[in-house]
Amino acid sequence: MEIKNWYELTFEIETNLEEIIIWKLNELGISSYAFEILLNNKNNKKVIIWLPHLNWPESLRIKLVRNIKEVLDKNNYQTNCFEWNLIEQEDWISSWKKYWGPEIVGDNLLILPCWLELPEEYKNKKVIKIDPGAAFGTGSHPTTSLCLEELEKISLSSKKILDIGSGSGILSIAARSFGASKIYSIDNDYLAINSTESNFRLNFGNLDNLKTYLGSFDGLVSKYTLKNFDFILCNILAEVIKGIIPDIRNCLKIDGEVILSGILNSQKDEIIKLLKASNLRINDVSSKKDWVCITAQKIP
Ligand SMILES: C[S@@+](CC[C@H](N)C(=O)[O-])C[C@H]1O[C@@H](n2cnc3c(N)ncnc32)[C@H](O)[C@@H]1O
């Protein structure tokens, strides 16, 4: 289905609430947003959220504002200044482009918005081209960059990968760029699956090494044979991760590894406990801002 128009929601927050808003939007499955520094008030930022109009009837928009207000209230910030505009696809693309430039991740990766030429100074980087569309995964969120940095550390040559919650496809594309031979990408949002496929094509010109599945991971594992993966990449919220750890183990081959992201610092210990209980050995824990990424290995 093609998205024609977008709702644009804007409001102000104190700058220190940015991470909390990102966390809430992530939880609500909202991926297109930006923060703008206000020149007249350096302590505040403008939040701009774009929502595909077909998926956001009035009732859901009212609920969204209520959700955001609740989060802000809890953090002692009161506002009623929420402004809605309806904008056309072309205007959304130009708004979005204004906020997005090339981004270096880890030692060697460069995330490049598809409408930009590769800047000369980044010619030696491994480039991942992304058209952000309506799916999560531009590389700028700590949960994504933590996964990308983990991927840089491991040898993926000829490996079989499962990407659970592929969003824009950014991790699948990185895995292929690092030499993985077969990538299976799962997402329960059709916009994300479209985005994974079109971004994969944008980078490699074809979908030869990619297989996509639309649906929830727990439903798909019982329907298809998803087994013997060398690596599983899973950047989903901790609440979802908790319920799928045993299935993740079943999908890994012995010695295979899972990279889990989307976990808040406060949720780390509980996830580590669940991983150990499923016979998954913790190999690495890295963190950025409030977020943690855990790498665990299937032991016999
Ligand atoms: C935080 S985004 C991650 C996107 C991308 N992999 C990245 O690292 O930037 C999580 C994605 O998981 C998908 N998702 C959430 N729960 C899921 C589930 N149970 N099964 C499959 N996909 C799921 C969402 O639609 C979303 O695209």
Side-chain angles (χ1 to χ4, degrees):
M1 195 190 312
E2 204 183 327
I3 297 166
K4 287 271 189 279
N5 294 330
W6 293 75
Y7 287 113
E8 184 185 72
L9 172 64
T10 51
F11 55 97
E12 266 186 42
I13 55 164
E14 276 170 7
T15 301
N16 62 358
L17 297 175
E18 182 173 336
E19 270 299 308
I20 288 162
I21 291 295
I22 293 176
W23 179 79
K24 189 70 201 172
L25 294 178
N26 193 7
E27 189 183 65
L28 296 170
I30 295 171
S31 50
S32 300
Y33 54 82
F35 295 87
E36 187 176 304
I37 295 166
L38 295 171
L39 296 175
N40 58 350
N41 180 358
K42 292 264 163 59
N43 294 327
N44 278 17
K45 278 193 176 173
K46 181 162 112 177
V47 186
I48 308 126
I49 299 171
W50 295 282
L51 306 163
H53 88 294
L54 287 176
N55 304 350
W56 286 85
E58 193 179 9
S59 57
L60 286 184
R61 282 181 281 131
I62 291 172
K63 207 167 148 197
L64 172 64
V65 169
R66 205 183 307 133
N67 270 322
I68 292 171
K69 254 179 81 55
E70 255 172 45
V71 173
L72 295 176
D73 280 350
K74 261 192 213 153
N75 288 279
N76 304 318
Y77 184 83
Q78 268 83 36
T79 181
N80 278 315
C81 300
F82 293 90
E83 194 182 311
W84 285 100
N85 284 304
L86 184 62
I87 60 172
E88 294 192 352
Q89 174 84 343
E90 292 74 37
D91 297 327
W92 172 71
I93 291 171
S94 55
S95 307
W96 178 260
K97 284 179 181 175
K98 203 169 83 187
Y99 293 102
W100 211 40
E103 182 143 350
I104 303 247
V105 178
D107 293 331
N108 271 314
L109 285 170
L110 179 80
I111 314 300
L112 186 70
C114 64
W115 52 85
L116 294 181
E117 287 291 317
L118 176 62
E120 194 57 39
E121 68 266 35
Y122 297 136
K123 285 259 154 69
N124 59 343
K125 298 282 177 201
K126 202 173 260 301
V127 177
I128 296 180
K129 287 189 230 150
I130 291 285
D131 183 347
F136 185 101
T138 59
S140 56
H141 196 271
T143 60
T144 309
S145 55
L146 281 165
C147 283
L148 291 170
E149 284 163 20
E150 285 302 310
L151 282 177
E152 258 192 344
K153 292 184 204 164
I154 53 186
S155 167
L156 286 170
S157 182
S158 306
K159 300 292 189 221
K160 184 176 154 189
I161 312 292
L162 179 64
D163 181 3
I164 306 173
S166 58
S168 65
I170 189 164
L171 302 180
S172 298
I173 294 162
R176 176 70 191 129
S177 300
F178 286 129
S181 57
K182 194 74 204 166
I183 294 121
Y184 294 70
S185 306
I186 289 176
D187 206 291
N188 58 3
D189 177 353
Y190 77 94
L191 289 172
I193 287 297
N194 287 349
S195 190
T196 295
E197 289 182 354
S198 65
N199 280 320
F200 202 89
R201 199 179 277 111
L202 181 70
N203 283 270
F204 307 111
N206 58 59
L207 301 180
D208 291 352
N209 304 79
L210 180 76
K211 188 160 176 52
T212 54
Y213 295 91
L214 172 61
S216 187
F217 173 65
D218 46 342
L220 292 170
V221 275
S222 51
K223 205 162 156 201
Y224 299 99
T225 319
L226 295 168
K227 288 228 173 289
N228 287 324
F229 286 95
D230 296 292
F231 289 96
I232 296 181
L233 320 173
C234 180
N235 177 12
I236 306 190
L237 291 173
E239 286 311 316
V240 181
I241 292 175
K242 278 186 215 165
I244 60 174
I245 289 175
D247 280 333
I248 286 180
R249 187 180 199 281
N250 286 338
C251 293
L252 282 170
K253 67 178 206 185
I254 296 290
D255 291 333
E257 291 181 65
V258 57
I259 298 174
L260 293 170
S261 197
I263 302 161
L264 285 164
N265 240 316
S266 55
Q267 300 162 322
K268 178 181 78 176
D269 292 344
E270 191 185 353
I271 298 287
I272 288 182
K273 210 164 145 190
L274 289 169
L275 288 166
K276 286 181 176 166
S278 280
N279 250 359
L280 290 156
R281 184 179 62 210
I282 311 303
N283 280 352
D284 195 17
V285 179
S286 54
S287 66
K288 197 172 272 183
K289 297 193 175 169
D290 292 335
W291 299 96
V292 176
C293 178
I294 302 170
T295 303
Q297 188 167 26
K298 176 167 172 172
I299 47 179

